[in-house]
Amino acid sequence: MKEEILRLESISFSYGRNQIINNFSLSVERGSFATLLGPSGCGKTTLLRIIAGFLKPSSGIIALNGVDVSAVPVEQRKIGFVFQDYALFPHMTVKDNLLFGFSGKEKKNQIRNMEVISSSLGLLDFLDRFPHELSGGQQQRVALGRTLMMKPEIILMDEPLSSLDAKLRLHVREELMEIQKKIGITTVYVTHDQEEALSLSDKIAVINEGNLLQYDSPEKVYFNPKSRTAAEFTGMTNFLSFNGKEIMVRPEWFVVDVEKTSDSELEGTVVSAVFLGGITRYRISCKESVKGFLTADVFSGALKKTFEEGQKVFLKIITSVCFN
């Protein structure tokens, strides 16, 4: 088991009478990538600001390396913060942005550190450019580099990819994952994007209305959610009343066919089909479904299996999660 670097213990926070965070506890291992996942307004960014020291909890303990830092000022916590909009200075070059906060002799002493960090982030060829001359991904790396210059023990990132288009977002996400593993710095990341959380994280904290629903590896959160709400936050879901139990089945956990077999468990009628490249997503009317219909994904590869609207189909459940 890795060493714990950050511990939140029974954290609560309110804006007036509005309770935002409720008795929240979490442990983050050194060098890991932990993600806070949940819908807008669930308390993710508030938690990040509490960890950084921008907000003070009404109760609870924030421990860094085993030491309570709840009353320690922001600048003394050795915690870096990468903001949603990167917060780069537009009139400064990349080099000046990276060296911002240093002056005089100290600034000269940081040149070598800046070169090492720039090399790690692939920024050496862009040091004389201004932010507007960079792509969104390059700007994100500059923001990360400026934070690393301060030698933090933990980096906090508040939805840093949200302003990027879909293609660039995927590319930068892959870059970010490689950089974090290469540098090995502990990262606490906020997002409402399920795919982003699943692909980046060592552990995911699923949050709703200021409460921690589950804190597990991406695989456990996806395949073994502890509640209906946690299941819905980590991917598409189908809820069925089946054999006297309520179960959850992901769309890809079905096998769909036009012929009934000995292991067919459900019967339905195709309502609609959407081709998504690698898969075709079917909406199927089914009496066992809580909503009256379910969503099933069928691989569009070698089998090239397709079903027409109005066609009767039979479904086998590969695996499921029971909440009873």
Side-chain angles (χ1 to χ4, degrees):
M1 184 176 178
K2 292 183 179 179
E3 176 188 5
E4 178 188 79
I5 185 172
L6 173 68
R7 186 178 78 255
L8 305 181
E9 190 175 313
S10 303
I11 297 293
S12 293
F13 180 83
S14 300
Y15 283 118
R17 294 182 180 180
N18 189 13
Q19 187 82 12
I20 307 299
I21 307 296
N22 304 305
N23 197 33
F24 192 99
S25 297
L26 191 73
S27 174
V28 178
E29 296 177 343
R30 187 178 301 278
S32 67
F33 197 114
T35 295
L36 308 182
L37 172 68
S40 298
C42 73
K44 305 184 302 293
T45 296
T46 298
L47 273 169
L48 220 59
R49 291 181 174 275
I50 288 172
I51 295 169
F54 297 132
L55 296 174
K56 185 176 180 180
S58 52
S59 62
I61 293 172
I62 306 158
L64 185 60
N65 291 315
V67 178
D68 185 2
V69 296
S70 304
V72 174
V74 176
E75 63 276 10
Q76 295 178 24
R77 292 195 183 189
K78 292 187 177 181
I79 293 177
F81 205 115
V82 177
F83 294 92
Q84 191 172 20
D85 60 357
Y86 310 143
L88 299 179
F89 296 103
H91 63 289
M92 293 184 181
T93 63
V94 169
K95 178 180 178 180
D96 290 335
N97 266 283
L98 291 172
L99 291 171
F100 182 79
F102 302 102
S103 59
K105 187 177 180 180
E106 185 184 20
K107 189 172 184 176
K108 291 182 179 180
N109 292 336
Q110 289 295 327
I111 295 295
R112 179 56 186 158
N113 184 36
M114 180 203 68
E115 290 174 346
V116 170
I117 289 174
S118 297
S119 178
S120 296
L121 298 177
L123 293 172
L124 280 177
D125 295 334
F126 305 100
L127 294 178
D128 294 325
R129 295 191 187 182
F130 291 89
H132 73 272
E133 298 175 303
L134 304 177
S135 69
Q138 290 164 345
Q139 290 182 41
Q140 199 263 359
R141 280 184 272 157
V142 175
L144 179 58
R146 186 175 60 185
T147 302
L148 291 172
M149 287 291 295
M150 307 309 294
K151 298 182 179 179
E153 294 214 46
I154 296 175
I155 286 184
L156 310 179
M157 306 186 79
D158 187 13
E159 303 209 45
L161 310 184
S162 61
S163 62
L164 305 180
D165 64 61
K167 185 177 180 180
L168 183 57
R169 185 174 184 141
L170 178 61
H171 176 69
V172 176
R173 188 170 74 200
E174 292 170 349
E175 280 191 344
L176 179 60
M177 184 164 53
E178 291 176 7
I179 291 167
Q180 193 273 334
K181 297 302 180 187
K182 181 178 180 180
I183 297 173
I185 189 164
T186 308
T187 303
V188 181
Y189 189 94
V190 158
T191 185
H192 64 272
D193 187 301
Q194 302 157 346
E195 185 176 309
E196 201 168 277
L198 292 169
S199 63
L200 285 171
S201 313
D202 293 309
K203 279 193 172 182
I204 298 173
V206 184
I207 303 170
N208 188 39
E209 297 181 348
N211 297 295
L212 179 62
L213 304 183
Q214 187 169 354
Y215 186 48
D216 266 319
S217 68
E219 293 80 8
K220 286 185 178 179
V221 170
Y222 189 80
F223 288 104
N224 299 105
K226 292 183 177 178
S227 67
R228 284 187 58 153
T229 308
E232 290 174 316
F233 285 162
T234 50
M236 291 190 69
T237 56
N238 294 288
F239 294 103
L240 307 172
S241 296
F242 187 71
N243 291 338
K245 298 178 180 179
E246 181 185 64
I247 64 171
M248 184 278 288
V249 184
R250 302 282 188 195
E252 69 275 17
W253 296 355
F254 290 113
V255 174
V256 187
D257 211 329
V258 293
E259 295 182 0
K260 186 174 183 179
T261 63
S262 59
D263 53 6
S264 297
E265 296 164 295
L266 301 171
E267 180 181 328
T269 303
V270 175
V271 176
S272 63
V274 180
F275 178 68
L276 299 173
I279 62 169
T280 300
R281 179 159 292 159
Y282 292 95
R283 189 179 185 187
I284 299 171
S285 174
C286 178
K287 66 180 181 180
E288 284 85 2
S289 173
V290 171
K291 291 184 177 179
F293 64 88
L294 55 81
T295 302
D297 289 344
V298 177
F299 177 54
S300 304
L303 295 178
K304 296 182 180 178
K305 188 181 292 184
T306 59
F307 307 97
E308 304 296 329
E309 292 183 13
Q311 186 173 19
K312 182 181 288 187
V313 290
F314 300 90
L315 301 94
K316 174 187 174 181
I317 300 171
I318 301 171
T319 187
S320 64
V321 176
C322 181
F323 293 120
N324 283 24

